[in-house]
Amino acid sequence: HNVAALYVVMLITGVSFGGFSSVFAPLIGEYFGLTHLGKIVAGVFSNGAPAGLIGPLLAGYIFDTTGSYHWAFVASGAMCFLAVACSFFVVTEVKRPRPETSRSAGAACPP
């Protein structure tokens, strides 16, 4: 049992979740606008709760059936690859602010 590997994985997981938490809402707001930000964030996190309940139960069932967690990890990895593949089909148009024109930088002029 390699304790050093456990610490490395814990560090990577902690940094990943910390990075995800800090950029998730701003990215959703930028991609989809602020009007539906609450609904989108609630939907994403609400879907995570059943997955957090079902995943360990399913992994336990796989272990009880096969005597190994191998296929549980294979299934989990396959779902991760499927999620990444699906992300390539997401088409969004990010609205970028217009660059400033020759007007003075602090003036409040309507477009």
Side-chain angles (χ1 to χ4, degrees), residues 11-107:
L11 177 68
I12 292 170
T13 302
V15 170
S16 298
F17 279 118
F20 170 79
S21 299
S22 63
V23 300
F24 178 71
L27 280 176
I28 296 297
E30 185 173 337
Y31 275 82
F32 301 104
L34 299 177
T35 305
H36 302 292
L37 176 65
K39 292 177 186 176
I40 295 170
V41 171
V44 168
F45 283 109
S46 295
N47 289 330
L53 175 68
I54 293 169
L57 293 174
L58 186 59
Y61 174 76
I62 291 171
F63 179 82
D64 290 343
T65 304
T66 65
S68 170
Y69 285 109
H70 174 79
W71 291 111
F73 282 109
V74 169
S76 179
M79 286 185 257
C80 288
F81 281 113
L82 179 63
V84 169
C86 288
S87 72
F88 288 114
F89 295 102
V90 174
V91 179
T92 60
E93 180 181 328
V94 178
K95 296 178 183 175
R96 302 274 183 216
R98 286 196 246 166
E100 291 194 31
T101 58
S102 61
R103 297 180 187 165
S104 62

